[in-house]
Amino acid sequence: MSRKNTIRNKELSEDVQEEMSEAVEEKVEETQNFIRTIFSPAKISTYLVTKNLPFIAFLVLLTLIYISNRHLAERTVRQIDRLGKEVKELSWDYKSLSAELMKLTTQTEIAKRADTLGLKERTEPPIKLEVLKEKK
């Protein structure tokens, strides 16, 4: 099996190939040893677990706080969206009611409603009354 150098596009010598395969085998062996030491029964003992129980409980507490904080943030965002939609709807209601009120308070609309009550709009200007005071 001949390997080529990707940089020079030349075949690698037997010595270089052996060195590379030995380096790869060493790394594989180191990784396997590391995994074995982590999960070996000697490392995971009841003493070790009870010794680190407060730390594990602390990590669980932090995890619960993180999860609850995330839920609270999601709920707050949903509430903000809902209130934003409600504000938009109320703004539209306000604008439509304001426009309707402006239309109803025009002079012609008031005259129409007063006519149904039997009141008529005055066509002549108002009369000014003057009160004479007697001098003593």
Side-chain angles (χ1 to χ4, degrees):
M1 174 166 118
S2 63
R3 295 184 182 175
K4 288 190 174 182
N5 186 343
T6 57
I7 297 173
R8 297 182 186 155
N9 288 329
K10 295 181 180 176
E11 288 189 17
L12 295 175
S13 67
E14 292 291 323
D15 294 335
V16 174
Q17 286 182 14
E18 282 182 34
E19 288 177 16
M20 286 176 56
S21 64
E22 287 175 6
V24 168
E25 288 175 8
E26 286 178 16
K27 290 194 186 247
V28 167
E29 188 175 323
E30 287 176 8
T31 305
Q32 288 175 347
N33 287 338
F34 177 73
I35 292 174
R36 283 187 198 125
T37 57
I38 288 178
F39 294 111
S40 70
K43 292 285 185 180
I44 303 175
S45 66
T46 56
Y47 171 73
L48 187 64
V49 171
T50 56
K51 179 182 169 190
N52 291 321
L53 197 58
F55 180 69
I56 293 170
F58 176 70
L59 289 179
V60 168
L61 178 69
L62 283 180
T63 304
L64 289 174
I65 290 172
Y66 176 77
I67 291 170
S68 65
N69 187 30
R70 181 70 179 176
H71 284 292
L72 179 66
E74 289 288 331
R75 188 178 334 133
T76 304
V77 166
R78 277 188 247 117
Q79 187 178 14
I80 288 171
D81 288 342
R82 183 177 44 83
L83 290 175
K85 289 177 184 177
E86 190 176 334
V87 165
K88 279 184 181 179
E89 287 177 15
L90 290 174
S91 173
W92 295 334
D93 287 343
Y94 167 75
K95 289 175 182 175
S96 65
L97 288 174
S98 176
E100 188 177 331
L101 180 64
M102 291 297 288
K103 182 184 175 207
L104 289 176
T105 57
T106 58
Q107 186 176 358
T108 56
E109 288 294 320
I110 292 173
K112 285 179 187 176
R113 285 188 296 164
D115 193 33
T116 59
L117 296 173
L119 301 173
K120 295 194 177 180
E121 191 175 356
R122 202 178 162 112
T123 55
E124 54 192 50
I127 302 170
K128 183 176 181 182
L129 300 176
E130 293 183 18
V131 178
L132 296 176
K133 293 185 180 180
E134 292 181 16
K135 292 187 180 183
K136 293 185 182 181

